[in-house]
Amino acid sequence: MAVIFQASAMSEHRTIAGKSALLLGAVILGLFVTRTGVTQEEPKLDTEAQKEAPTAFAGKEPETVLHWGTGDGKSYLVPAFEVVGFEFLLNRFNHYVIDDQVYASPISNFRENIDKRWVVDTDKFATNQFLHPYQGAMYQGFARSAGLGFWESTGYTLAGSLLWEEAGETTTPSINDQVASGIGGALLGEPLFRMASLLLESSASGKPGFWRELGAAVISPSTGFNRLAFGTRFDGVFPSYNPAVYTRFDLGATVNTHYDSNVNVNSDPSAPPAYQKPKRQEASATFTMDYGLPGKPDYDYARPFDYFNFEFIASTSNTFETIFSRGLLYGTTYDLGPNYRGIWGLYGTYAYVAPQIFRVSTAGAALGTTAQWWLSRTVALQGSALAGVGYGGGGVIHGAGVTSAGPMGEGQRDYHYGMTPQGLLALRLILGDRASLDMTVRDYYISQYGASESSGSENIGRADLTLTVRIYNLHGITLRYAQSRRDGTYASWPTSHQTVGSISLGYTFLGQTRFGAVDWRPPEAGGPDL
């Protein structure tokens, strides 16, 4: 069987070159179409109203809704009670529905856990790296929608995570959960709160209607709860100060998939090897937002997350496949000549990536920059470059795992935790109002430091290449190539190598015709007419 698998893997490698050539040909074709003159065509939207607000997140200029975070609209006490109440209700729900032993009384849990030494736990990957950050995002939303600032709210998120670790369940408090819920929760919850607020603020009438209120509650449930439960007290909307915003929504389907793996997923060493078989066909939905793109005149970056990028991918094979959040925590603007504008500083980052056969997730901080450069009158290059460190987990989805199972086979964790140096390079080449070419490369090295198992490491990378062509109005088509790679090295297990890649084709609904390009130039240099 191993010989058959190796032959199959070699065949897979031989087809990769052909698939790459196919994608490159499509890119060249798109660039040729763009250069033949269609970029000079003035975009024609349906109505004047659509020109002002082509999507729900865009408006000519967001209107201030009452006064956020002042007087009775700001409270330190309300979110404190909400966090405690939320955890009590969650504990009781889990007690009666999931496991009455793990989720015993909060008082008894606290008495049992208060003297325990903190550990790195063995919960499921999705529980630790998605559900815990989302729980922390709820805490962040409770405080933010009660009028508190980012750092104040992050204090509530960290405290809420600590309280849950000590009193929410009987399991030993874990370091990784505190990082995921406390830090990851803040870095995930802030863009959700900002998006919900922008949706409420962008109403043409100046007061959000039912559908905007509902949409905001779906994006940030704790924000929706405060707006509903307290009457008009928290009706003020967080002011965005009119950032440059770009959104896109994609629906796609895989047309070709390749994978390579030497991982034996049979945890019984005496049994014949079994290799992974990911689904080759899947459909996906992607939402992306850039908020506070550099170059907008009179827009400042005085508050954390005045710039952020958020991306979410759901797929039929792995529901929540990808969540990326990165935001500027502290930084400033800079320029390099009349055609270049940028920001630089300290970013907060959260990532959750689970492409079928392995996964990685981190929460951390990075130094970096985000900028835009006008290469010509109609062509612009946007990009971000970050390098930093976080704490994260990653590894193979099936197999023997990196921790030993208990006497009854319980507690086996098939992913590795550790301090995680990481880097990102993201570029978007904008070709007028007709096409864009996006390239993003991410790399994560999950080291042996800060881990319960100190004999191994994971190196996981992700690359995306996307060509989008606007066909009509705000509608376009997108050709995407995505590849994820993993190399796992452990003292007691064979070195493992895994790669999964896919080519997909889909429909794109754009937030604006110019793919997020910000234009600060005077009219004579190609900028907008005043």
Side-chain angles (χ1 to χ4, degrees):
M1 179 178 291
V3 173
I4 295 174
F5 172 76
Q6 289 172 3
S8 175
M10 291 175 64
S11 176
E12 289 284 355
H13 277 301
R14 285 195 295 268
T15 61
I16 293 175
K19 296 166 187 173
S20 300
L22 173 65
L23 183 63
L24 180 60
V27 170
I28 294 172
L29 177 61
L31 297 180
F32 174 77
V33 170
T34 302
R35 293 294 296 171
T36 56
V38 281
T39 57
Q40 306 305 318
E41 177 184 321
E42 183 66 21
K44 295 178 175 59
L45 300 180
D46 288 338
T47 65
E48 289 297 321
Q50 190 184 47
K51 291 180 182 179
E52 293 185 2
T55 70
F57 288 103
K60 189 173 183 180
E61 184 170 349
E63 296 289 337
T64 300
V65 182
L66 301 176
H67 296 284
W68 177 87
T70 61
D72 200 37
K74 181 176 183 178
S75 174
Y76 292 95
L77 194 59
V78 167
F81 277 110
E82 288 177 328
V83 170
V84 173
F86 174 83
E87 292 193 354
F88 175 77
L89 293 176
L90 182 61
N91 169 273
R92 293 296 84 195
F93 175 85
N94 290 346
H95 175 85
Y96 292 111
V97 175
I98 299 177
D99 191 323
D100 60 356
Q101 297 299 313
V102 173
Y103 300 99
S105 154
I107 295 177
S108 64
N109 292 343
F110 183 81
R111 289 174 177 169
E112 185 175 340
N113 287 335
I114 190 63
D115 293 325
K116 286 183 178 179
R117 182 179 179 181
W118 285 52
V119 300
V120 177
D121 71 23
T122 58
D123 288 348
K124 294 179 180 179
F125 185 83
T127 299
N128 277 346
Q129 299 305 126
F130 172 67
L131 293 180
H132 279 304
Y134 190 74
Q135 184 173 336
M138 291 289 292
Y139 306 153
Q140 188 81 6
F142 281 133
R144 290 294 270 138
S145 58
L148 302 187
F150 172 82
W151 294 114
E152 294 171 315
S153 300
T154 300
Y156 281 77
T157 304
L158 289 166
S161 176
L162 177 62
L163 180 62
W164 178 262
E165 289 303 302
E166 296 288 357
E169 52 192 3
T170 58
T171 55
T172 304
S174 62
I175 300 168
N176 54 287
D177 286 351
Q178 181 66 19
V179 173
S181 300
I183 299 176
L187 299 177
L188 175 61
E190 183 65 15
L192 296 180
F193 169 75
R194 290 269 189 149
M195 287 188 285
S197 298
L198 185 62
L199 188 62
L200 294 168
E201 190 185 35
S202 300
S203 174
S205 65
K207 182 178 181 180
F210 171 78
W211 292 112
R212 287 183 179 271
E213 293 280 5
L214 179 61
V218 170
I219 296 170
S220 177
S222 42
T223 298
F225 175 82
N226 274 352
R227 293 181 64 82
L228 177 66
F230 291 92
T232 60
R233 180 176 181 180
F234 298 120
D235 272 2
V237 176
F238 177 81
S240 66
Y241 300 133
N242 196 23
V245 174
Y246 174 58
T247 62
R248 58 180 291 162
F249 178 72
D250 298 88
L251 291 173
T254 301
V255 297
N256 209 317
T257 301
H258 68 84
Y259 73 95
D260 181 23
S261 174
N262 69 349
V263 174
N264 175 15
V265 299
N266 195 332
S267 58
D268 183 359
S270 63
Y275 297 102
Q276 294 166 307
K277 295 181 179 179
K279 296 179 181 178
R280 290 184 174 273
Q281 303 297 326
E282 65 176 357
S284 64
T286 304
F287 174 77
T288 306
M289 172 179 277
D290 286 298
Y291 178 111
L293 287 163
K296 182 75 177 287
D298 301 322
Y299 182 75
D300 294 322
Y301 297 88
R303 307 170 299 181
F305 277 74
D306 272 342
Y307 164 79
F308 71 81
N309 170 274
F310 180 85
E311 181 178 347
F312 170 75
I313 302 177
S315 70
T316 54
S317 62
N318 199 18
T319 312
F320 299 113
E321 179 179 298
T322 301
I323 304 172
F324 292 117
S325 169
R326 65 177 185 270
L328 185 67
L329 296 175
Y330 181 80
T332 188
T333 61
Y334 68 97
D335 62 79
L336 298 173
N339 295 324
Y340 188 102
R341 297 290 185 272
I343 55 176
W344 75 278
L346 180 67
Y347 291 70
T349 64
Y350 167 74
Y352 176 88
V353 188
Q356 292 199 53
I357 63 174
F358 59 87
R359 55 271 169 102
V360 61
S361 179
T362 70
L367 290 173
T369 182
T370 300
Q372 179 181 310
W373 181 18
W374 280 106
L375 302 176
S376 71
R377 292 180 68 90
T378 59
V379 178
L381 180 66
Q382 291 180 338
S384 291
L386 279 73
V389 65
Y391 187 78
V396 60
I397 287 181
H398 300 292
V402 298
T403 58
S404 300
M408 302 300 295
E410 80 284 357
Q412 187 178 43
R413 171 158 49 80
D414 58 358
Y415 57 96
H416 170 72
Y417 270 116
M419 297 299 296
T420 308
Q422 53 195 290
L424 171 140
L425 177 64
L427 298 173
R428 177 186 300 143
L429 182 65
I430 301 171
L431 303 162
D433 63 7
R434 186 54 60 183
S436 71
L437 180 63
D438 292 73
M439 184 275 291
T440 304
V441 178
R442 297 175 171 90
D443 193 74
Y444 307 92
Y445 179 76
I446 306 172
S447 71
Q448 61 184 343
Y449 301 104
S452 58
E453 63 288 328
S454 59
S455 61
S457 62
E458 298 274 347
N459 184 214
I460 298 175
R462 166 88 176 211
D464 294 270
L465 182 63
T466 304
L467 172 67
T468 302
V469 178
R470 188 178 67 86
I471 302 301
Y472 170 74
N473 209 338
L474 298 172
H475 310 285
I477 58 173
T478 291
L479 182 65
R480 183 191 306 266
Y481 177 73
Q483 178 170 296
S484 299
R485 168 198 51 79
R486 169 187 174 262
D487 297 307
T489 304
Y490 296 95
S492 56
W493 297 99
T495 299
S496 56
H497 307 284
Q498 297 171 289
T499 301
V500 58
S502 64
I503 298 175
S504 60
L505 184 65
Y507 160 80
T508 298
F509 181 68
L510 298 164
Q512 56 158 271
T513 59
R514 298 190 184 276
F515 299 92
V518 180
D519 207 338
W520 59 86
R521 302 171 299 173
E524 60 271 17
D529 293 330
L530 300 178

